[in-house]
């Protein structure tokens, strides 16, 4: 239904404006800039602006901050910050385009929500190129494939990071000392292998994935942001003191 509807419409380029086929460009921009326009169609339980900001900070800012100094050192004192700025601007710009396209197709197709794959598929269906329209469904499959590869790529690293850090904490907690003044650890009690910690965390991670409502996860993202901020302050304070 949606494919036929998009094909029957006369093609117009709405990529540079937020206007719909039924309204002028100026009206589209004015309507889309309102705070209520970003609410999903037909939904009243979507995330607020503050909750969205919390999730955005949690998903884009993490322990990778500790690796930025080494990255800047390898890239150069001039090229490193400039490259970081350019990549950040490109990423934010692409995210903005993706969100606007998703909301536009929700409005045009009267759908409550479209995901990344659907957005690309509907965008190809509205293309003036007939070959892209005929193969629009491949756009969804390609996006889903690269999303899986991307998530596996960095989520597995955090999985290893979590297990290794938890193992170190357990080892330090079980350590014995013969010098109470300097608190020097003499013997470390051996603990489980890191892979066993990963296996222990796996059921909790699987259950966490089934929670698809970002509104319910906002409190956990807030606690994670606070913990991360406190940890970074402590790390940088220690780094400066022993510089």
């Amino acid at each position: 239904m949606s494919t036929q509807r998009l094909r029957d419409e006369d093609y117009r380029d709405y990529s540079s404006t937020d206007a719909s086929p039924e309204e002028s460009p100026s009206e589209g921009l004015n309507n889309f800039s309102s705070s209520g326009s970003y609410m999903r169609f037909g939904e009243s339980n979507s995330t607020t602006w503050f909750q969205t900001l919390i999730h955005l900070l949690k998903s884009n800012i993490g322990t990778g901050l500790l690796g930025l100094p080494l990255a800047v050192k390898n890239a150069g004192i001039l090229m490193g910050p400039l490259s970081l700025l350019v990549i950040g601007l490109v990423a934010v710009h692409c995210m903005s385009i993706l969100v606007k396209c998703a909301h536009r197709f929700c409005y045009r197709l009267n759908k409550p929500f479209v995901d990344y794959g659907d957005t690309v598929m509907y965008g190809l269906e509205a293309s003036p190129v007939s070959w892209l329209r005929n193969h629009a469904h491949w756009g969804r499959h390609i996006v889903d494939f690269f999303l899986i590869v991307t998530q596996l790529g960095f989520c597995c690293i955090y999985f290893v990071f979590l297990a290794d850090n938890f193992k170190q904490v357990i080892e330090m907690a079980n350590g014995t000392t013969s010098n109470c003044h300097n608190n020097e650890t003499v013997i470390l009690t051996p603990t489980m292998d890191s892979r066993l910690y990963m296996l222990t965390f796996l059921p909790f991670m699987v259950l966490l994935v089934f929670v698809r409502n970002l509104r319910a996860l906002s409190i956990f993202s807030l606690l994670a942001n606070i913990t991360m901020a406190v940890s970074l302050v402590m790390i940088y304070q220690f780094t400066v003191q022993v510089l």
Side-chain angles (χ1 to χ4, degrees):
M1 184 276 291
S2 59
T3 304
Q4 186 66 32
R5 179 176 178 179
L6 287 173
R7 288 180 180 177
D8 291 341
E9 292 181 356
D10 293 331
Y11 174 77
R12 291 177 60 186
D13 184 12
Y14 297 103
S15 60
S16 59
T17 65
D18 297 317
S20 66
E22 293 83 7
E23 60 189 6
S24 64
S26 60
E27 292 175 351
L29 289 171
N30 294 333
N31 293 337
F32 200 81
S33 61
S34 61
S35 59
S37 300
Y38 286 89
M39 298 289 289
R40 290 178 184 172
F41 185 85
E43 286 190 3
S44 59
N45 60 342
S46 58
T47 57
T48 63
W49 179 87
F50 181 69
Q51 292 171 336
T52 304
L53 178 63
I54 291 175
H55 288 305
L56 184 64
L57 293 175
K58 182 64 193 73
S59 59
N60 288 275
I61 301 177
T63 52
L65 284 174
L66 302 176
L68 283 179
L70 180 61
V72 173
K73 176 185 176 182
N74 294 331
I77 195 65
L78 181 61
M79 182 58 80
L82 289 178
S83 301
L84 181 64
L85 179 62
V86 171
I87 293 175
L89 291 175
V90 171
V92 173
H93 177 66
C94 292
M95 285 190 286
S96 176
I97 292 177
L98 181 61
V99 170
K100 289 182 179 180
C101 288
H103 280 278
R104 177 52 53 206
F105 287 121
C106 286
Y107 179 82
R108 292 177 64 179
L109 301 176
N110 197 25
K111 288 180 173 291
F113 172 72
V114 292
D115 56 19
Y116 296 132
D118 289 337
T119 302
V120 174
M121 184 184 68
Y122 294 141
L124 293 177
E125 289 174 354
S127 171
V129 182
S130 60
W131 188 88
L132 293 178
R133 293 197 301 266
N134 295 331
H135 298 82
H137 62 281
W138 281 104
R140 173 193 291 179
H141 299 325
I142 292 174
V143 170
D144 291 339
F145 171 76
F146 281 109
L147 280 176
I148 293 174
V149 172
T150 303
Q151 294 294 326
L152 288 177
F154 64 79
C155 287
C156 66
I157 298 299
Y158 280 103
F159 209 68
V160 175
F161 182 81
L162 175 63
D164 287 343
N165 280 269
F166 197 83
K167 178 183 177 182
Q168 293 178 13
V169 171
I170 296 297
E171 289 179 348
M172 290 300 297
N174 294 334
T176 59
T177 178
S178 60
N179 191 335
C180 297
H181 296 286
N182 297 329
N183 196 25
E184 296 177 354
T185 301
V186 177
I187 301 175
L188 289 178
T189 304
T191 57
M192 295 188 302
D193 188 85
S194 297
R195 290 169 292 185
L196 295 179
Y197 283 104
M198 297 179 195
L199 188 61
T200 304
F201 294 144
L202 182 60
F204 302 99
M205 295 294 181
V206 172
L207 292 176
L208 190 62
V209 170
F210 282 100
V211 181
R212 304 185 63 182
N213 189 351
L214 291 179
R215 195 182 186 94
L217 294 175
S218 60
I219 182 64
F220 298 103
S221 294
L222 178 61
L223 294 176
N225 286 328
I226 295 175
T227 305
M228 182 182 64
V230 174
S231 302
L232 290 175
V233 169
M234 295 174 62
I235 291 173
Y236 282 113
Q237 182 182 7
F238 176 79
T239 303
V240 172
Q241 288 177 353
V242 298
L243 191 62

